[in-house]
Amino acid sequence: MSKTWLLMRIMLKMQYSKAGKSHSQMWILLIAFIFCIPFVFLYIGLIRSIVTVLFESLQPIGQETVILGLLFISIHAILFFMSFFTIMNTFYFTEDIQSFIPFPFQPYQLLLGKATNPFLYLYLTNGFLFLPFYFIYGGVSSASIFYYIHGILNFILLPFVPFCFAAIILMIVMRFVNVAKNKDRSKVIAGIVSLAFIIFINVLIRLNTDTDKITNNFADYIQKNDGLLNQITAYYPPAYFQTKSLTGAGTWEGILCLLAVIAFTIGLFSLFLWVGQQTYLKGMFGAGNSKKQIVAKNTFKKAITQRPIWVSFIRKELRTIFRTPSFLLQCVIQSLFSPIFILIILLMDSSNEAFAAFFDNLSSKQTILLLFLASIILLGTNATSLSSISREGKNWFVHMYFPISIKQILFYKIMTAWLLNLILIGLLLIIGSFLFQLSPLYIGSWAILMFIASWLTSTFGTYLDFSNPKLTWTDEQEVFKSRFISLIALFIYFGMFGGLVLIIWNSASIHGLFLTFLSIMIALVLVNGLVLKLIQSKIRAKHQHYI
């Protein structure tokens, strides 16, 4: 195993080494961390309230174990879907694996090395989701010390099962999918299929959900001890054994369930290594080849036709994004996944009137505040602006020879991100108009706020990337991997506009749609002006590096 540990350390150093990286933007991390602190306490407080209410309601009828059952089912599902994206990108669509093939490593060792970075993401997500519920449930239920011992072991083992399931499926599929002929198209298709698979599972579950049958059998399940737990985890034994290992901690039943979890994890992990040993490199052969395209003479002449500078630059940016699979997946497809997923759920749900009724019960101020906060989060997580400079890679310095200023270049990149956000804004307006049945006045106000908020998120995202770009990459995926820039941006948006929404929500002097709309508009304009000033000062500070 010494070679394996060495390989894992090398691959982690390649991802997270600070060599040659600037430390001038540490204050951005500090601001993001400060903004995050209130929401951490809010998150923990919300979980405490949920767990307490559920435990007090379910404990008298002996069904409190369903809380942990739902927790494990949810975490397994989230980690499984996360694993699909990270495995596809890390295992198959990076070029660094070809550098390790000549070395005396077995395929399973290369597989373990490549799996190290995805596991870090899974453990971070697992810690964020599992640990608060786990400790709060232990306090509410007055659990013994054995509960905490079993819980730590379950925390360590939890990511292995969903990761191994996803990896085995993908390795078998990629073994028989010929990505050598056209790697670029395979990337796009794989990303779209992964997102479509998630939507398909949701639709399938909804189509096969018999509400009347569930209602009729609900009383029968309550009468049985752990009846609800058995119903929820009937088709997924790992979640059942993990739940029983915690609720029965200190008893023979709990110990046996914990041993079953350990045995199942070891068996699945061994199967993962065996499948990887047999199929991984065979699925990787030819993955670095792309199909060459011959450009017709007339097409070439049309492409070099003189146009205004701003049109040519934005056109070049859009073509780069749409023609580069990794950029297309990260900047366009993934940003549209959330609204499309919501749209599918609402279309499949026969109780859409409930959503309209929900907004009817809110005041006009509360409605526009909720719509604004949801849209600022969706717009702020778009990777287009957050990768504006990094997408250029080492070619960024070629821009210094163009007959345009850095200020113009940044403006055109901001405009590109804003234009791509229009697709997302259009989907959100469709959801609000036809499914939430919002009035034209709300839709118009919301649309104006989203247009301005989109410009702000595009500007601020470009500023963050311009402050600390990742230019030394060999594969497009490195622009998005091992960077916390989107998380930093999300924390800052939460801090600024979450606080703004909270103040306006509780302010008695601000009431009605018009005053609320005006207050948000003024805040957006002021923050936009501040970000533009920050960009101008950053341009002056970096000017010497670009001449």
Side-chain angles (χ1 to χ4, degrees):
M1 289 296 291
S2 59
K3 290 183 180 180
T4 305
W5 289 114
L6 176 63
L7 186 61
M8 294 167 68
R9 290 199 303 270
I10 290 174
M11 288 190 174
L12 282 179
K13 286 182 179 179
M14 290 173 63
Q15 294 290 333
Y16 297 101
S17 173
K18 294 297 181 181
K21 296 183 180 179
S22 172
H23 298 277
S24 59
Q25 300 305 317
M26 291 300 295
W27 64 273
I28 297 179
L29 291 171
L30 180 61
I31 292 175
F33 177 74
I34 293 173
F35 279 146
C36 179
I37 291 175
F39 291 96
V40 170
F41 286 104
L42 181 64
Y43 173 68
I44 294 175
L46 179 63
I47 292 175
R48 184 181 299 277
S49 301
I50 293 173
V51 173
T52 302
V53 171
L54 287 176
F55 186 85
E56 292 176 351
S57 302
L58 296 172
Q59 196 268 339
I61 58 176
Q63 302 296 330
E64 68 275 9
T65 55
V66 75
I67 301 174
L68 292 176
L70 287 172
L71 174 64
F72 281 115
I73 285 286
S74 302
I75 294 178
H76 274 272
I78 293 171
L79 296 185
F80 178 77
F81 293 135
M82 279 186 62
S83 299
F84 256 99
F85 296 109
T86 56
I87 290 169
M88 183 64 72
N89 293 330
T90 307
F91 284 19
Y92 292 99
F93 293 149
T94 53
E95 308 293 340
D96 58 347
I97 189 64
Q98 297 181 4
S99 302
F100 292 96
I101 290 177
F103 290 95
F105 293 118
Q106 291 290 329
Y108 79 89
Q109 293 174 318
L110 294 173
L111 204 61
L112 288 175
K114 298 292 286 185
T116 308
N117 194 45
F119 259 102
L120 289 180
Y121 286 101
L122 294 182
Y123 272 113
L124 286 174
T125 306
N126 187 31
F128 181 75
L129 297 174
F130 175 75
L131 291 180
F133 274 97
Y134 157 66
F135 281 109
I136 292 172
Y137 183 89
V140 171
S141 62
S142 302
S144 65
I145 187 64
F146 296 104
Y147 167 87
Y148 295 98
I149 296 174
H150 284 216
I152 294 300
L153 293 175
N154 275 288
F155 171 78
I156 296 172
L157 298 174
L158 207 158
F160 281 86
V161 173
F163 179 86
C164 291
F165 269 132
I168 291 170
I169 294 172
L170 284 175
M171 284 189 296
I172 293 175
V173 171
M174 294 300 289
R175 171 63 183 88
F176 300 101
V177 174
N178 188 3
V179 298
K181 288 185 177 180
N182 198 328
K183 174 195 172 186
D184 296 340
R185 184 175 300 172
S186 299
K187 284 185 178 182
V188 177
I189 293 174
I192 295 175
V193 168
S194 299
L195 296 178
F197 175 76
I198 298 173
I199 296 175
F200 172 75
I201 292 297
N202 182 271
V203 172
L204 190 65
I205 292 173
R206 288 179 173 272
L207 287 175
N208 288 277
T209 300
D210 190 341
T211 307
D212 295 334
K213 184 177 180 181
I214 293 176
T215 304
N216 293 332
N217 294 336
F218 186 75
D220 295 334
Y221 284 112
I222 289 181
Q223 299 300 322
K224 302 175 183 178
N225 189 30
D226 291 335
L228 291 179
L229 176 65
N230 294 329
Q231 181 189 18
I232 291 172
T233 59
Y235 300 103
Y236 195 69
Y240 174 80
F241 287 121
Q242 287 179 315
T243 303
K244 295 299 290 183
S245 72
L246 289 184
T247 57
T251 65
W252 281 110
E253 182 186 19
I255 294 173
L256 291 175
C257 287
L258 180 61
L259 292 176
V261 172
I262 295 173
F264 186 83
T265 303
I266 293 175
L268 190 62
F269 187 69
S270 302
L271 180 61
F272 158 71
L273 294 180
W274 181 81
V275 173
Q277 179 74 13
Q278 303 298 321
T279 64
Y280 178 53
L281 289 184
K282 294 177 182 178
M284 269 297 302
F285 284 150
N289 300 325
S290 296
K291 186 179 180 180
K292 293 183 179 180
Q293 182 178 4
I294 300 175
V295 180
K297 188 175 182 180
N298 292 335
T299 306
F300 180 75
K301 286 184 178 180
K302 186 178 179 181
I304 62 175
T305 302
Q306 186 174 0
R307 297 182 180 87
I309 294 177
W310 68 275
V311 174
S312 298
F313 199 98
I314 293 176
R315 188 167 177 265
K316 184 267 295 184
E317 287 288 308
L318 291 174
R319 294 179 75 174
T320 300
I321 291 172
F322 280 94
R323 291 185 175 185
T324 307
S326 298
F327 297 160
L328 177 62
L329 290 173
Q330 297 287 342
C331 300
V332 181
I333 295 176
Q334 287 197 20
S335 66
L336 299 179
F337 171 70
S338 297
I340 291 176
F341 188 66
I342 294 171
L343 186 63
I344 294 294
I345 291 176
L346 295 178
L347 288 175
M348 295 297 300
D349 200 330
S350 59
S351 59
N352 291 333
E353 293 79 6
F355 293 97
F358 171 76
F359 284 103
D360 289 339
N361 294 329
L362 296 175
S363 65
S364 56
K365 177 175 77 172
Q366 294 171 337
T367 300
I368 199 68
L369 285 175
L370 289 177
L371 292 174
F372 167 72
L373 189 60
S375 57
I376 199 75
I377 293 172
L378 291 174
L379 293 169
T381 53
N382 191 331
T384 307
S385 61
L386 297 169
S387 60
S388 296
I389 312 302
S390 299
R391 287 197 305 267
E392 303 290 343
K394 296 177 181 178
N395 295 327
W396 163 248
F397 297 101
V398 176
H399 290 81
M400 302 305 104
Y401 299 97
F402 289 174
I404 52 177
S405 64
I406 299 178
K407 185 177 180 180
Q408 288 176 289
I409 294 173
L410 295 180
F411 177 79
Y412 299 151
K413 286 183 172 291
I414 293 170
M415 177 64 75
T416 302
W418 186 82
L419 289 174
L420 287 178
N421 276 339
L422 292 180
I423 306 174
L424 176 59
I425 291 174
L427 282 174
L428 293 176
L429 291 177
I430 291 173
I431 293 174
S433 300
F434 297 101
L435 297 179
F436 292 162
Q437 301 177 13
L438 298 175
S439 67
L441 185 60
Y442 283 115
I443 292 297
S445 304
W446 186 26
I448 294 172
L449 290 178
M450 280 198 291
F451 289 144
I452 302 175
S454 174
W455 186 264
L456 170 62
T457 57
S458 301
T459 305
F460 188 68
T462 303
Y463 167 73
L464 287 178
D465 196 45
F466 182 60
S467 300
N468 190 20
K470 185 179 180 66
L471 302 177
T472 55
W473 50 266
T474 56
D475 183 83
E476 296 90 352
Q477 280 296 327
E478 296 178 28
V479 175
F480 309 98
K481 289 193 309 179
S482 308
R483 300 184 75 203
F484 297 98
I485 185 170
S486 58
L487 195 61
I488 293 172
L490 186 61
F491 285 156
I492 293 177
Y493 295 142
F494 250 124
M496 288 191 298
F497 297 106
L500 173 67
V501 168
L502 193 62
I503 292 172
I504 297 177
W505 188 288
N506 295 311
S507 176
S509 58
I510 301 176
H511 54 84
L513 177 62
F514 177 75
L515 286 179
T516 307
F517 170 79
L518 188 62
S519 302
I520 298 175
M521 174 102 64
I522 292 173
L524 286 174
V525 171
L526 291 176
V527 177
N528 260 309
L530 175 62
V531 175
L532 288 175
K533 290 291 184 183
L534 290 174
I535 289 180
Q536 291 175 357
S537 64
K538 183 59 62 177
I539 291 174
R540 289 193 295 268
K542 287 197 171 188
H543 181 67
Q544 296 299 324
H545 296 279
Y546 300 131
I547 60 175

